[in-house]
Amino acid sequence: MKARTLAALLPNVTAPAFRRRSPTGAMLFASWPDIVGPAHAAVTTPHRLSAGTLTVACAGPVAMELQHQADMLMARINTWCGEALVARLRFVQDPTAGTRRKRAVRKTHGPTCTLPTLPDDPLRAALERLGTGILQSATKKT
């Protein structure tokens, strides 16, 4: 047995997963509410990304409204991804679109970030989540 670096082993481990979904595509699905905004995220869910076509499930008559905003949505998605990932949007009807499954609440172990000087609003909550994530990842590395 010869010792090998992790960098030499990693492509063999990640290749099967990335064949199914690219890392950028996976981040697109995970960060959908941040990309399209809370109003669109409440009534849409990304379903599939294949050959530059993103299939988006829409609840109710939202598909027609989004069809008119398709260019703006594609520009927003591609800007967020940093590459031309989506070339076309396909909308399908789904009454359950936008509803997110409730996740089990994770207990945070480690330092948390609080910003008591900021007003209680979504910006403060987002900055506190970001700060807590940075602090916890920094403590995991040490």
Side-chain angles (χ1 to χ4, degrees):
M1 295 282 299
K2 181 180 165 186
R4 295 175 59 190
T5 65
L6 184 60
L9 297 173
L10 204 54
N12 295 334
V13 174
T14 59
F18 291 159
R19 266 194 295 273
R20 290 191 59 226
R21 185 171 289 156
S22 70
T24 308
M27 287 183 1
L28 169 76
F29 284 74
S31 301
W32 184 250
D34 296 331
I35 297 168
V36 297
H40 288 311
V43 291
T44 62
T45 305
H47 268 245
R48 184 175 182 201
L49 178 63
S50 176
T53 301
L54 177 64
T55 303
V56 179
C58 303
V62 176
M64 186 177 292
E65 177 187 338
L66 292 178
Q67 191 71 39
H68 293 290
Q69 298 176 353
D71 292 334
M72 185 262 317
L73 282 173
M74 284 189 300
R76 194 172 193 170
I77 292 166
N78 290 333
T79 299
W80 185 87
C81 293
E83 61 181 290
L85 188 67
V86 177
R88 195 182 97 145
L89 292 174
R90 179 175 170 255
F91 299 103
V92 295
Q93 293 286 329
D94 184 1
T96 62
T99 57
R100 297 180 65 92
R101 292 185 299 265
K102 295 194 177 198
R103 295 184 198 170
V105 177
R106 285 192 229 163
K107 293 182 179 177
T108 58
H109 300 289
T112 58
C113 179
T114 57
L115 302 168
T117 58
L118 291 178
D120 240 357
D121 62 358
L123 176 62
R124 176 183 172 179
L127 288 172
E128 285 178 343
R129 280 194 314 270
L130 176 65
T132 299
I134 291 170
L135 288 172
Q136 289 177 356
S137 67
T139 58
K140 286 180 186 176
K141 290 179 182 177
T142 57

